[in-house]
Amino acid sequence: MDSNDTTRGLVVLAVDDEQPALEEIAFLLGEDPRVRTVLTASESTEALRILNSRQRGAGGAGSRLQAGGGELPSTGTDVAEHTDIDVVFLDIRMPGLDGLELARVLSGMTIRPDVVFVTAHDDRAVDAYEIGAKDYLLKPLRTERLSAALDRIVSSRSSAAPVEPIRDDANDDEVIPVELAGTTKLVPRSAVRYVEAQGDYARLHTTDGSHLVRIPLSVLEERWRDAGFVRIHRSFLVALPLVTELRLAGSGYVVRIGSGPETAELPVSRRHTRELKDRLVRATKQAWSQR
């Protein structure tokens, strides 16, 4: 079974030690037509048992990561290399192994599920994105934010294709040809809100979804610098005009991109904070000088 085939519906695991919160997210996920199966766990060890019981793909029932790679630190239990669970929705503060620690363990899987955090605490967003979270939702959970997170997950599971940006000299914009299911879609640079690094690939996030393309983030950083894109993290490049907020959160800064249900919050690494602040100040001054 193809892990990126969302036509079958998503298999989702929700993990929360508070039963009312667990029941609420399970209900909301079950109401979404893109979700086929909702599984629940009240703590990390139970979640791990469920993940291990739903192995798929190469390796079979005996396929495990070795200790030190995918071992659950508190119990010594190994983690399956493959699972048919597509997404894990995690609370952060749980007894025993917390959500961030479990997410770090899952990152060692050969084919890992996407992770979305659902928490009442807004001070761990930087840590969450540092370990590859797809989204960070705050309680009380809003249906539109959950829907937007699922939009992001479904889009991110589409297949990638090699591309080369095409220059549009008429309006000084570039378009990125994206191949998906035999169809070529042309995505203009101006439609891109931010870009996420995924190995040698880059994921272009737009208001109507995301597209995985075979271009390193470093290449787009160089090509798009003069078009207002700025590197804020080793994994993220953002369209500066779309930054609506820069704030301190926990041990570092995060930026808010856009507004409304499509808002994204991304981490800013320490080494990129000063440049981002400087460019935001320059952009504001330039905007005022043109009035």
Side-chain angles (χ1 to χ4, degrees):
M1 183 179 293
D2 184 356
S3 63
N4 289 334
D5 179 15
T6 56
T7 60
R8 63 185 175 89
L10 296 170
V11 178
V12 177
L13 172 62
V15 188
D16 198 311
D17 65 308
E18 297 181 354
Q19 190 62 29
L22 185 61
E23 291 176 356
E24 178 187 25
I25 189 171
F27 173 77
L28 293 175
L29 286 167
E31 290 291 295
D32 194 289
R34 292 163 296 186
V35 175
R36 176 167 61 93
T37 303
V38 180
L39 307 167
T40 61
S42 59
E43 43 84 27
S44 295
T45 304
E46 182 184 1
L48 186 64
R49 285 197 295 266
I50 294 172
L51 285 158
N52 280 343
S53 70
R54 299 183 64 92
Q55 292 177 79
R56 61 158 182 78
S63 181
R64 295 285 193 278
L65 291 176
Q66 298 302 311
E71 185 179 273
L72 188 66
S74 61
T75 66
T77 304
D78 291 333
V79 183
E81 291 182 350
H82 306 270
T83 178
D84 72 346
I85 293 174
D86 301 302
V87 194
V88 179
F89 284 80
L90 276 176
D91 188 18
I92 287 185
R93 297 188 180 178
M94 296 185 291
L97 200 71
D98 70 19
L100 289 168
E101 292 170 323
L102 178 57
R104 290 189 183 97
V105 173
L106 299 183
S107 69
M109 299 176 68
T110 302
I111 300 178
R112 61 182 179 180
D114 292 321
V115 171
V116 174
F117 286 101
V118 184
T119 176
H121 308 280
D122 64 358
D123 59 345
R124 306 303 298 275
V126 172
D127 297 327
Y129 285 115
E130 285 279 1
I131 57 178
K134 289 296 183 184
D135 211 334
Y136 191 91
L137 310 181
L138 291 176
K139 298 176 181 178
L141 189 59
R142 293 183 293 122
T143 304
E144 61 268 25
R145 277 295 285 123
L146 179 61
S147 180
L150 289 170
D151 285 341
R152 188 170 293 120
I153 294 296
V154 170
S155 296
S156 72
R157 302 180 76 82
S158 61
S159 58
V163 299
E164 177 64 26
I166 302 171
R167 189 78 175 189
D168 183 351
D169 294 327
N171 58 15
D172 199 33
D173 200 359
E174 282 185 348
V175 293
I176 310 296
V178 177
E179 297 290 339
L180 179 60
T183 300
T184 301
K185 181 176 181 179
L186 300 179
V187 179
R189 181 186 60 206
S190 57
V192 177
R193 304 165 69 224
Y194 64 96
V195 186
E196 179 183 1
Q198 295 189 348
D200 292 332
Y201 294 75
R203 184 167 294 283
L204 310 177
H205 292 268
T206 67
T207 55
D208 60 354
S210 71
H211 311 278
L212 190 63
V213 295
R214 198 174 298 169
I215 306 176
L217 189 67
S218 57
V219 172
L220 292 179
E221 177 186 10
E222 180 67 26
R223 293 181 67 107
W224 291 1
R225 170 173 287 272
D226 293 339
F229 282 79
V230 59
R231 188 77 166 260
I232 63 167
H233 186 274
R234 68 172 180 269
S235 298
F236 294 104
L237 182 70
V238 303
L240 196 64
L242 298 182
V243 173
T244 58
E245 184 179 285
L246 172 66
R247 76 172 190 277
L248 190 63
S251 59
Y253 282 87
V254 296
V255 294
R256 183 185 292 270
I257 309 295
S259 58
E262 296 300 324
T263 297
E265 288 191 355
L266 306 174
V268 182
S269 64
R270 288 185 178 90
R271 66 185 294 256
H272 291 104
T273 299
R274 180 176 293 276
E275 180 188 1
L276 177 60
K277 287 182 176 179
D278 289 345
R279 292 194 64 175
L280 283 171
V281 170
R282 289 200 303 269
T284 302
K285 287 181 177 179
Q286 183 178 9
W288 276 100
S289 66
Q290 293 174 349
R291 292 187 177 185

